[in-house]
Amino acid sequence: MLLINRYKDKVKKWITFNEPYCIAFLGHWHGVHAPGIKDFKVAMDVVHNIMLSHFKVVKAVKENNIDVEIGITLNLTPVYLQTERLGYKVSEIEREMVKLSSQLDNELFLDPVLKGSYPQKLLDYLVQKNLLDSQKANNMQQQVRENFIFPDFLGINYYTRSIRLYDENSSWIFPIRWEHPAGEYTEMGWEVFPQGLFDLLTWIKESYPQIPIYITENGAAYNDKVEDGMVHDQKRVEYLKQHFEIARKAIENGVDLRGYFVWSLIDNFEWAMGYTKRFGIIYVDYKTQKRIKKDSFYFYQKYIKENS
């Protein structure tokens, strides 16, 4: 709140948290990001504390009539059922397990932010698996309902989709495994799948109360090389072009999409991967700090000019 009060005249849109999934699960369950904890129950505590903290800030802004808009940014991943995608008959257990796994990635964060409750079936499943205490689950649900306040906008970070298949031999929380179809992948190992952005935005429009949406991150990491003082990142240009067109299609289909931001302006420090992955539309020579505008920079510049 100190920051918001200090800069409210200059900054009119604020985000309480960026990527709660990464903070909670990658940092406290999978342990691949700081603080490197590997405890699912701790991760669920983090999820809940983030939600309550988010509500507290949004409430403070509203109650003090501060002239800014405030929201949250979630990294969301549309989940597709592999056998359904291939046209096979899907069993009820297969559909249910994949749906629950999707709820852990998406609805666990979307539902409290936009509906004021956690997905109950997911909580029940976690309690059944002794991954969540029954009383704690009830308290979490009650506290979210009591503290819920609707945000001014929703930020979405989108990069790829997830294809999942029921596997009764899986040792994961859910009896599923991941499928990786043939296609183009970025340096992060993420499939390039623009249609997923349209499917995600359309699903949110149909499943949640209407809210202005911003794509706060979308982009791709590639192994960029400097050639004669230039960076010809044609794959990134094509990636951005396809996602821009999908975003336009979503707007035409009634999605209240207000803005789009490429990740990222410059090559930067990417979580635990450090400087090994380049997302920028401006190349950074990390030894000299020299900046070089990539082809994607000029494409983006031209696209904005022609479509503004």
Side-chain angles (χ1 to χ4, degrees):
M1 283 302 298
L2 288 174
L3 281 174
I4 295 176
N5 274 317
R6 175 65 178 83
Y7 294 104
K8 62 186 177 183
D9 294 332
K10 295 181 179 180
V11 180
K12 290 300 183 181
K13 291 182 174 60
W14 291 80
I15 292 169
T16 57
F17 288 92
N18 177 61
E19 300 191 345
Y21 176 96
C22 294
I23 298 169
F25 289 158
L26 298 189
H28 297 82
W29 174 23
H30 301 298
V32 296
H33 292 335
I37 295 172
K38 297 182 178 181
D39 189 321
F40 181 80
K41 293 182 178 180
V42 171
M44 287 298 293
D45 287 341
V46 175
V47 170
H48 188 52
N49 286 332
I50 288 174
M51 290 298 109
L52 295 182
S53 300
H54 162 74
F55 295 141
K56 186 174 182 179
V57 176
V58 175
K59 183 179 181 181
V61 168
K62 302 294 185 183
E63 288 184 344
N64 288 281
N65 296 313
I66 301 176
D67 185 24
V68 299
E69 293 181 22
I70 187 160
I72 189 171
T73 284
L74 307 178
N75 55 301
L76 303 173
T77 305
V79 174
Y80 298 83
L81 184 55
Q82 167 75 334
T83 48
E84 188 172 60
R85 189 177 67 92
L86 297 176
Y88 299 146
K89 185 176 180 180
V90 180
S91 68
E92 188 59 34
I93 184 65
E94 181 175 14
R95 190 184 302 279
E96 184 68 15
M97 289 300 105
V98 171
K99 181 178 180 180
L100 282 171
S101 75
S102 177
Q103 287 185 345
L104 188 69
D105 290 354
N106 299 302
E107 288 100 311
L108 180 63
F109 303 92
L110 273 168
D111 281 18
V113 167
L114 299 181
K115 292 183 176 180
S117 63
Y118 290 111
Q120 189 61 52
K121 285 188 177 181
L122 175 62
L123 295 187
D124 292 342
Y125 179 86
L126 296 177
V127 169
Q128 177 189 341
K129 293 294 183 179
N130 295 317
L131 293 168
L132 185 64
D133 178 76
S134 177
Q135 186 59 50
K136 178 174 284 188
N138 292 335
N139 290 340
M140 288 172 59
Q141 199 69 287
Q142 181 179 348
Q143 289 171 355
V144 163
R145 287 168 179 160
E146 291 174 349
N147 290 277
F148 171 69
I149 182 167
F150 200 73
D152 294 314
F153 65 86
L154 173 67
I156 295 175
N157 294 351
Y158 171 79
Y159 290 98
T160 191
R161 67 172 169 175
S162 179
I163 300 176
R164 299 175 185 178
L165 178 67
Y166 179 73
D167 183 356
E168 61 183 8
N169 296 316
S170 172
S171 60
W172 195 49
I173 287 177
F174 308 98
I176 64 167
R177 58 184 168 86
W178 284 257
E179 293 290 303
H180 303 282
E184 183 184 346
Y185 287 77
T186 70
E187 284 292 305
M188 295 293 290
W190 296 340
E191 181 192 10
V192 177
F193 192 72
Q195 181 63 32
L197 177 58
F198 178 84
D199 295 343
L200 176 64
L201 291 172
T202 302
W203 170 66
I204 291 174
K205 178 180 77 73
E206 295 173 348
S207 305
Y208 292 91
Q210 184 173 358
I211 186 171
I213 294 174
Y214 294 86
I215 304 302
T216 39
E217 286 185 28
N218 175 240
Y222 289 109
N223 187 23
D224 302 319
K225 302 293 184 182
V226 179
E227 300 175 354
D228 298 323
M230 303 178 72
V231 179
H232 302 298
D233 57 334
Q234 187 58 35
K235 286 187 177 180
R236 183 176 291 105
V237 170
E238 290 301 318
Y239 179 101
L240 294 177
K241 184 185 300 182
Q242 292 172 27
H243 284 81
F244 292 168
E245 293 309 310
I246 282 293
R248 185 193 299 274
K249 179 182 175 183
I251 293 172
E252 292 171 350
N253 279 268
V255 174
D256 189 8
L257 182 58
R258 303 286 183 91
Y260 174 103
F261 299 87
V262 170
W263 187 262
S264 171
L265 177 64
I266 63 172
D267 294 333
N268 60 7
F269 193 88
E270 286 294 331
W271 293 76
M273 294 182 176
Y275 295 107
T276 64
K277 304 300 178 185
R278 295 182 179 272
F279 277 88
I281 57 175
I282 296 178
Y283 183 92
V284 178
D285 184 320
Y286 294 127
K287 291 183 179 180
T288 66
Q289 291 300 299
K290 180 180 179 181
R291 269 66 165 165
I292 301 172
K293 296 173 182 176
K294 305 176 187 179
D295 286 357
S296 58
F297 174 94
Y298 296 106
F299 161 75
Y300 193 26
Q301 183 182 57
K302 184 173 183 287
Y303 193 95
I304 292 171
K305 183 178 181 179
E306 293 177 349
N307 292 275
S308 61

